[in-house]
Amino acid sequence: MGWVLIGWSRIEITLDAICGTAFHHCGGKQHFRKLPYSLTDKVEQFRTYHNELPQLSHRRAAAIALVDRVDALKGRRDDIVHGAAMELSADGAIRFMRLRTMGTYHDLTRPEITMEQVKEFAQNTANLSGDLMTYAKSFETEYWPNTV
């Protein structure tokens, strides 16, 4: 599980850096009043910047492909990061419990994740974080060159 959290923290800090650069140096303030905090807000801002800001149009296809990968992994990430591992089944699967606040009530889910799925997710997270960091390096070089 540790590799999942390490990989995912790299994804989120990279989204933070890209969103911050777009916000401050690419006209992002015309779309949002503040930098994002939650993963949902980071994905929304990243997507909006690349779809709406003319100076980012040449990066749109690559950026949207990356953020689509973040979206595809987000649900499993939420199960692991926001859930609690409750028990290990005889077949080696980890049973989680996850409570989501839905206004005035809680939604309880009990996802079951095998160790093979955890390993696959950790690999997918590592691959995505590497690809996103490569993108961020070129993004920062183009739009905020004194920082890299």
Side-chain angles (χ1 to χ4, degrees):
M1 298 283 193
W3 289 112
V4 168
L5 298 178
I6 289 168
W8 203 270
S9 67
R10 288 171 38 126
I11 289 169
E12 292 223 27
I13 200 166
T14 305
L15 289 172
D16 288 332
I18 294 167
C19 287
T21 299
F23 183 82
H24 290 291
H25 301 287
C26 301
K29 291 178 185 179
Q30 67 185 331
H31 293 281
F32 296 96
R33 295 174 54 188
K34 62 182 182 174
L35 293 171
Y37 178 75
S38 71
L39 177 60
T40 299
D41 290 344
K42 292 172 191 182
V43 167
E44 177 191 358
Q45 282 195 23
F46 184 98
R47 195 179 296 280
T48 298
Y49 293 148
H50 287 87
N51 281 325
E52 302 293 332
L53 296 175
Q55 63 268 47
L56 301 184
S57 63
H58 67 288
R59 295 177 160 276
R60 184 172 299 137
I64 298 305
L66 285 168
V67 82
D68 284 348
R69 288 170 60 195
V70 173
D71 263 341
L73 295 176
K74 188 167 61 168
R76 178 65 75 198
R77 172 257 187 203
D78 289 349
D79 289 341
I80 293 170
V81 172
H82 297 296
M86 300 303 286
E87 64 182 288
L88 185 62
S89 68
D91 62 356
I94 303 166
R95 292 200 178 103
F96 285 82
M97 183 186 314
R98 183 171 166 217
L99 274 177
R100 293 184 306 160
T101 303
M102 310 293 286
T104 59
Y105 68 95
H106 286 119
D107 176 48
L108 174 66
T109 59
R110 296 178 186 268
E112 187 170 290
I113 306 169
T114 66
M115 288 310 294
E116 194 56 42
Q117 289 171 322
V118 170
K119 289 177 190 174
E120 180 182 347
F121 183 75
Q123 186 61 57
N124 290 338
T125 300
N127 292 342
L128 175 56
S129 70
D131 293 345
L132 198 55
M133 290 180 103
T134 298
Y135 178 84
K137 178 79 170 171
S138 70
F139 189 90
E140 299 290 321
T141 299
E142 184 173 352
Y143 297 107
W144 201 8
N146 296 333
T147 63
V148 289

